[in-house]
Amino acid sequence: MTYPDREIRLPAPPRGPSIALRAVIIAVALLLVFAPAVASRLADWLWYRDIGYERVFLTQIIAQWSLAFAAGVGGFIILYVNARIALRGAPRRNLHIRDATTWAAQGPAILMERLASWFVVPVCLLVAFVLAVSAGANWRELAMFIFRTPFGVADPIFARDVGYYVFTLPMVETLLTFLNAIAWASLVVVTLPAYVARSDIGAVVDTSQQGGGLRFFVTPRAQTHIAILAASILVLRAVRVVLVDVPSLLLSQKPVLFGAAYTDLTVRLPLMRVLAVVLILAAAALVWQARKGQLVRGAVIVLVAVIASAVLLGGLIPSAFQRLVVQPNELERETAQIQHHITATRAAWAIDSIDRRELTTERPLTMREIQSNQATISNVRLWDREPLLQTYGQIQSIRTYYDFVSVDDDRYIINGELRQVLLAPRELNTNALPTRTFVNEHLTYTHGMGVTLGPSNQVTPEGLPVLWVKDLPPASSVPEVKVTRPQIYFGEQSNEFVLAPTRQREFDYPSGEGDAAVYSSYDGGAGVSVGSFWRRLLFAFRFGSMNIILSDYLTPDTRILYHRDVLDRARLALPFVMFDADPYMVITDDGRLEWILDAYTVSDRYPYAQPLGGGTNYMRNSVKVLVDAYTGALRSYVADASDPMIQTLEKLYPGLLHPLSDMPADVRAHVRYPTTIFSAQSALYATFHMTNPETFYHREDQWQVPTSRGSGAESFLRHIVMRLPGESAPEFILMRPFTPRQKDNLSAWMVVRNDGEHYGKLRVYQFPRQSLVFGPAQIVNRINQDTEVARQIALWDQGGSEVIRGELLVIPIEESLIYVMPLYLRAQGGRIPELKRVIVAHESQVAMHETLEQGLAVLFGGAQPPPPDAAVPTTAATVAAPRPATPPIAGETVSATNARLIREAGAAYDRARAAQRAEDWATYGTEMRRLGEILGRLRGTP
């Protein structure tokens, strides 16, 4: 029964979520996935803007995205065009086939054709995206190429400026790598879709064979297309050989040199050019064979020919020539190349202008020379870093959450004299907090506090270091050094973010008895404001802490301080230079704490220059960076304006780097030449001081850096305040000695000057070859063989104590040397090393006494030391000739003089005992030292 006038309505299917709800769900999902990454980039942008280095961030972002976009679009166009050409011949089959037999035969092919067509765009987009990301990572090579600066030095083979290898060659290599990747990707994209669509490439059943079989086919059009792409790969390889591989011969390691050797220039270079021609001919042959419909046969022939040519031209012939022609006459053949190697290495590492001076050892060292070099003696560093760190950690940490990370050498003018000091910042270690909560870690315990500073050579009567700046709050006993802003918000281990100021008081330092403390509120102005809800939300995502949103302690004035590790902070601000791993702190004239960081421009592409670890064969200490420990303010200065790499970076970031003359004078006075580059220069100079190719080849006069007890290659690398031979005033220098290769005697020592107009000047003092100057290893052997030293060490080791030998110090005095080794004593299980003895050695003489002055007096003054228990180590800062006997008073006999000295000794002893009972150790040490001096004068009387 029908009802024509009645509309029949079927029930509606259940409705799913509304479009709006689905949009919200998708938006939330995307937010959860991408919010952390977006928040991180936004937080980075706000941080760069806060420190005034926004241009660094924006330059990198713009350059990366622009280069990636261009590479991605170009790559996609090339890939898509090739894929569409490959699919152009696909047959148009009818998808609406109703016959089951026909569908069974053609249906899968139809689906594969459609899938190939549908997935062309997504696959091309994916491959182009990968290419874009890879290309964007090379933005720095592009920027350095655009703003490149000539070095003004040409390579000796192709007469190209060194800047070509440093700036242009990396960009050429990057571009060819990108084009090669596109060519290979296009080859794959052309081959696979064409096969899947079964248009140009496929397989059919060969009925001519018994039992049938598959016969693969490739249409002529597809063969030509594939051949062109394969040929482009061969052509790109030929271009790479000419533009990259040939100049890279000057950057290759050889057995006797770094750079192009005789075989490279005579045989390998012409054969490489021949190989490039072979590759181009092979590309043409491949296309020709493809047009004849013989792609597979042509590909096999071309592949065999290319591999054979590469093996023959690039391997067998040069190797045979090297073995049969060069090796039997290597010195004669390689002389010119060795000279290139020496010249380039000395220029690349700035060791070609070292001031070289000869020393004589004809005149023996006397007390007169010791007295005239009082500035050197009074700054001998008797405290090694490791024992001093342990001692500071026990006597100056104050609380468990304070930590001393490092101890650094520096110099200050104290009482009108240049004095070497050891300085250690007292930083906050949040991992050691008794209770680690959000409030404690990020709001209350926000900063370290003050520094510990003392002379490098003085000790208390107990064998502990003398401290000029100590305690909390930092108190100074010398008027020249005062700390007025002791808070350290930015340091070497300040990794956690902090929020300040907030309603929660910030812990400054403990005070008085019990749990009393002094609190403060940050007013340095650093950090990014988190006063609004959206800022809190942003940083909650950035640091994964919802407490930033939920905390009631935050105020509209609260700022978040992050990237507080000074090394991390500097690396982010200046990502185009390599930073030294050892920042050091200085105290300014107005009492602020500033970090100084050294940065280097480096390259591994200086032709013929010898590389060190990591392949670096060019290095300049071109940048100095200051970071305020309280405000985090970061300023960067050009330390070497002649460096072409820093000139290029100044073009890239105009106005970002300031001239060194703009650095505040009180901070500039503490700038020092970094040990990293000096270590590299001295290690290279040990070999490259030989400028004659024949001498260099035979290594006739090669030096080496001496090593000591497990210290490795960095042994005997020391900052010293001393008066250099021929100079009138003491200065702060960095010094390293040399011994002949596989010998122990000393051959030379090298210094770099740090003060004023002499900053960065290298100088080498060389001993005459015909004289024997004992080296560190020989001195250590003599010390070990000294019966008094052996007896004392054995005695201490039996008493439940541990003897720690300090580093052997090499101290130049005039044209001679003295060696100094401190001995520390530490109770077993204890953590406070005490300086108990100082060993002094000169030539074949060894003396061990409580102070450096006593040892020097014995070695050079002929005085007899006081008994070992007659004095406690007090100071090694003041060395003078043995005090002459007190002249007799008029009418007084010699016996009367002796009696008077005995009475003075008795009185000094009584005062020392009284001070000991009162635990007045300073007075005790003074009186015991006075007693030793009186006894010394008493021995000097007839």
Side-chain angles (χ1 to χ4, degrees):
M1 187 174 185
T2 62
Y3 300 92
D5 299 332
R6 188 173 178 181
E7 182 180 0
I8 300 176
R9 295 186 179 180
L10 298 176
R15 296 184 58 142
S18 67
I19 296 177
L21 180 58
R22 281 181 286 181
V24 170
I25 294 174
I26 294 174
V28 171
L30 291 175
L31 180 65
L32 293 176
V33 172
F34 294 105
V38 174
S40 178
R41 298 303 281 174
L42 285 176
D44 287 345
W45 172 59
L46 293 173
W47 180 82
Y48 276 99
R49 191 173 66 173
D50 172 58
I51 67 169
Y53 280 66
E54 188 177 11
R55 74 178 72 177
V56 174
F57 178 81
L58 294 179
T59 298
Q60 179 174 344
I61 293 294
I62 293 172
Q64 278 184 326
W65 283 83
S66 299
L67 184 58
F69 179 78
V73 170
F76 174 78
I77 292 174
I78 295 174
L79 292 169
Y80 183 76
V81 168
N82 279 282
R84 280 302 172 192
I85 292 175
L87 291 172
R88 188 175 57 187
R92 299 294 179 181
R93 297 183 175 91
N94 185 7
L95 188 61
H96 304 286
I97 297 176
R98 299 184 181 275
D99 181 68
T101 303
T102 306
W103 175 257
Q106 300 185 13
I110 295 172
L111 289 178
M112 297 300 288
E113 292 168 11
R114 293 298 184 264
L115 288 174
S117 179
W118 293 339
F119 279 96
V120 162
V121 173
V123 170
C124 290
L125 284 174
L126 178 61
V127 176
F129 176 78
V130 174
L131 292 172
V133 172
S134 176
N138 297 307
W139 70 273
R140 194 169 300 164
E141 284 80 0
L142 177 61
M144 298 289 277
F145 168 74
I146 294 174
F147 296 101
R148 62 191 181 276
T149 301
F151 275 63
V153 179
D155 78 81
I157 305 302
F158 304 112
R160 293 191 178 107
D161 187 89
V162 171
Y164 172 84
Y165 299 89
V166 175
F167 302 121
T168 304
L169 189 59
M171 191 59 215
V172 172
E173 189 173 359
T174 299
L175 178 60
L176 290 176
T177 300
F178 175 74
L179 294 176
N180 190 65
I182 289 182
W184 276 104
S186 299
L187 185 61
V188 173
V189 166
V190 164
T191 304
L192 291 182
Y195 176 76
V196 170
R198 305 180 67 84
S199 57
D200 291 330
I201 304 174
V204 297
V205 177
D206 188 354
T207 57
S208 64
Q209 301 181 22
Q210 186 176 359
L214 288 178
R215 180 172 60 85
F216 290 90
F217 68 89
V218 182
T219 65
R221 186 176 62 84
Q223 290 188 40
T224 303
H225 193 180
I226 293 172
I228 291 174
L229 291 175
S232 67
I233 295 174
L234 293 175
V235 172
L236 286 173
R237 186 70 188 97
V239 173
R240 187 182 184 90
V241 168
V242 175
L243 297 184
V244 176
D245 294 349
V246 167
S248 293
L249 289 175
L250 278 61
L251 306 170
S252 56
Q253 183 68 61
K254 299 299 185 300
V256 297
L257 57 90
F258 181 87
Y262 183 81
T263 298
D264 296 326
L265 301 177
T266 307
V267 176
R268 197 182 302 274
L269 178 58
L271 292 181
M272 290 175 72
R273 291 168 176 163
V274 172
L275 179 60
V277 174
V278 169
L279 289 169
I280 294 175
L281 293 177
L286 185 61
V287 175
W288 180 62
Q289 288 288 330
R291 293 186 64 84
K292 291 173 58 179
Q294 298 177 347
L295 174 64
V296 176
R297 177 172 175 270
V300 172
I301 295 174
V302 166
L303 183 63
V304 171
V306 168
I307 293 176
S309 299
V311 172
L312 182 65
L313 301 178
L316 294 180
I317 295 178
S319 297
F321 185 84
Q322 175 72 22
R323 178 65 187 86
L324 300 176
V325 178
V326 176
Q327 282 190 9
N329 309 282
E330 192 170 51
L331 176 58
E332 178 186 355
R333 302 289 187 181
E334 302 289 10
T335 296
Q337 289 67 245
I338 291 176
Q339 186 63 65
H340 300 331
H341 178 47
I342 295 172
T343 302
T345 301
R346 289 168 62 90
W349 291 97
I351 55 176
D352 54 344
S353 58
I354 291 180
D355 181 12
R356 189 164 177 169
R357 302 195 178 187
E358 299 290 334
L359 297 174
T360 62
T361 57
E362 299 177 355
R363 189 178 64 179
L365 191 62
T366 66
M367 183 54 85
R368 183 181 298 275
E369 280 78 21
I370 296 294
Q371 289 177 320
S372 63
N373 286 271
Q374 185 66 33
T376 301
I377 299 300
S378 62
N379 286 286
V380 172
R381 198 182 87 177
L382 299 181
W383 284 101
D384 287 350
R385 287 188 175 90
E386 190 58 35
L388 191 60
L389 267 179
Q390 296 179 25
T391 302
Y392 280 175
Q394 293 299 307
I395 67 175
Q396 279 293 302
S397 286
I398 312 298
R399 291 291 188 270
T400 58
Y401 39 78
Y402 286 130
D403 197 7
F404 291 100
V405 180
S406 63
V407 177
D408 294 301
D409 293 275
D410 206 343
R411 70 283 197 195
Y412 288 81
I413 302 296
I414 305 296
N415 294 326
E417 297 180 0
L418 185 65
R419 297 298 304 274
Q420 184 171 350
V421 302
L422 294 168
L423 184 150
R426 186 185 293 103
E427 297 198 50
L428 182 71
N429 182 5
T430 55
N431 294 327
L433 289 174
T435 305
R436 298 188 62 188
T437 64
F438 174 79
V439 173
N440 275 351
E441 290 189 62
H442 304 291
L443 277 68
T444 304
Y445 294 92
T446 57
H447 56 273
M449 190 66 182
V451 300
T452 297
L453 178 145
S456 62
N457 65 317
Q458 293 186 4
V459 295
T460 67
E462 297 81 14
L464 300 178
V466 170
L467 301 178
W468 286 341
V469 179
K470 61 180 180 178
D471 298 338
L472 292 173
S476 175
S477 60
V478 291
E480 293 86 352
V481 181
K482 297 290 185 182
V483 180
T484 59
R485 178 61 79 178
Q487 292 86 354
I488 302 176
Y489 281 83
F490 301 87
E492 290 188 80
Q493 65 173 17
S494 303
N495 298 321
E496 296 291 336
F497 71 90
V498 298
L499 295 157
T502 64
R503 294 186 179 93
Q504 172 64 30
R505 296 181 303 171
E506 298 176 56
F507 178 84
D508 235 11
Y509 56 88
S511 175
E513 299 295 334
D515 57 356
V518 174
Y519 293 86
S520 66
S521 181
Y522 182 70
D523 62 354
V528 178
S529 173
V530 290
S532 68
F533 169 79
W534 296 109
R535 287 287 181 89
R536 292 193 190 188
L537 180 64
L538 169 66
F539 287 103
F541 274 108
R542 168 63 177 83
F543 294 105
S545 175
M546 293 303 296
N547 289 321
I548 296 178
I549 298 177
L550 302 176
S551 177
D552 293 331
Y553 290 104
L554 276 61
T555 71
D557 296 327
T558 300
R559 307 179 74 85
I560 184 168
L561 282 64
Y562 52 108
H563 294 314
R564 297 191 301 126
D565 182 307
V566 291
L567 194 54
D568 176 55
R569 194 174 184 85
R571 284 171 175 165
L572 288 172
L574 304 172
F576 42 80
V577 291
M578 183 184 77
F579 276 89
D580 193 278
D582 184 25
Y584 60 99
M585 178 174 281
V586 301
I587 304 173
T588 65
D589 288 351
D590 59 357
R592 292 178 298 103
L593 302 179
E594 289 265 9
W595 291 97
I596 299 181
L597 298 90
D598 287 285
Y600 310 99
T601 50
V602 297
S603 176
D604 59 356
R605 294 176 178 269
Y606 197 106
Y608 274 108
Q610 179 66 39
L612 291 182
T616 299
N617 67 354
Y618 174 88
M619 176 180 282
R620 291 292 186 273
N621 176 217
S622 297
V623 178
K624 302 284 185 181
V625 176
L626 303 185
V627 179
D628 191 289
Y630 184 71
T631 66
L634 188 147
R635 292 158 290 166
S636 49
Y637 302 88
V638 176
D640 186 357
S642 64
D643 174 28
M645 295 192 72
I646 205 63
Q647 293 175 17
T648 299
L649 291 169
E650 285 188 287
K651 296 176 186 176
L652 178 59
Y653 300 102
L656 190 70
L657 304 174
H658 306 284
L660 191 62
S661 58
D662 289 351
M663 182 181 290
D666 56 340
V667 179
R668 175 69 179 85
H670 296 279
V671 166
R672 71 186 189 192
Y673 199 76
T675 57
T676 298
I677 188 171
F678 181 72
S679 176
Q681 289 174 316
S682 58
L684 286 165
Y685 192 76
T687 300
F688 286 88
H689 71 277
M690 298 178 289
T691 56
N692 181 277
E694 183 175 357
T695 304
F696 182 91
Y697 178 82
H698 295 301
R699 299 296 198 267
E700 292 178 5
D701 190 26
Q702 186 174 12
W703 301 340
Q704 65 184 20
V705 176
T707 59
S708 68
R709 292 188 333 303
S711 299
E714 293 306 313
S715 297
F716 307 106
L717 187 63
R718 292 289 180 266
H719 287 95
I720 305 174
V721 171
M722 66 169 293
R723 184 174 64 83
L724 292 171
E727 302 295 334
S728 58
E731 55 187 290
F732 190 62
I733 59 102
L734 182 59
M735 176 259 192
R736 166 170 272 180
F738 297 108
T739 60
R741 183 171 177 267
Q742 298 182 346
K743 298 291 183 180
D744 292 331
N745 59 291
L746 212 63
S747 57
W749 49 282
M750 182 176 180
V751 301
V752 60
R753 306 171 76 176
N754 288 268
D755 296 333
E757 61 183 8
H758 302 299
Y759 174 82
K761 299 298 178 59
L762 298 167
R763 181 179 293 180
V764 169
Y765 295 92
Q766 186 171 357
F767 294 105
R769 296 186 183 182
Q770 64 274 15
S771 63
L772 175 63
V773 179
F774 288 119
Q778 295 168 320
I779 293 296
V780 169
N781 291 336
R782 289 190 172 273
I783 290 174
N784 293 336
Q785 295 168 4
D786 187 86
T787 55
E788 177 60 24
V789 173
R791 184 191 66 80
Q792 185 65 65
I793 292 177
L795 179 63
W796 279 336
D797 281 336
Q798 293 175 2
S801 300
E802 177 188 4
V803 177
I804 303 174
R805 295 193 180 203
E807 289 289 343
L808 183 67
L809 305 175
V810 184
I811 311 298
I813 302 291
E814 296 295 343
E815 298 193 355
S816 187
L817 299 170
I818 62 172
Y819 291 88
V820 177
M821 176 186 288
L823 290 182
Y824 309 97
L825 190 63
R826 181 173 58 192
Q828 289 185 356
R831 300 184 63 184
I832 306 181
E834 299 177 0
L835 178 61
K836 288 300 183 183
R837 293 290 186 272
V838 179
I839 301 174
V840 187
H842 175 64
E843 295 182 347
S844 60
Q845 298 177 298
V846 176
M848 181 180 73
H849 297 288
E850 289 82 358
T851 64
L852 176 60
E853 60 183 353
Q854 292 177 356
L856 291 172
V858 171
L859 286 184
F860 301 105
Q864 294 296 321
D869 58 351
V872 177
T874 56
T875 175
T878 305
V879 177
R883 189 176 297 177
T886 304
I889 300 175
E892 186 181 55
T893 64
V894 172
S895 297
T897 301
N898 288 345
R900 179 171 56 80
L901 291 175
I902 291 172
R903 288 194 300 273
E904 291 179 6
Y909 178 77
D910 291 338
R911 290 191 296 271
R913 290 296 302 274
Q916 183 183 31
R917 288 191 294 269
E919 296 186 350
D920 183 1
W921 300 114
T923 303
Y924 173 82
T926 301
E927 294 301 333
M928 291 301 287
R929 180 178 58 185
R930 186 174 300 165
L931 174 61
E933 293 173 350
I934 294 172
L935 292 175
R937 295 199 300 271
L938 187 60
R939 291 188 185 94
T941 59

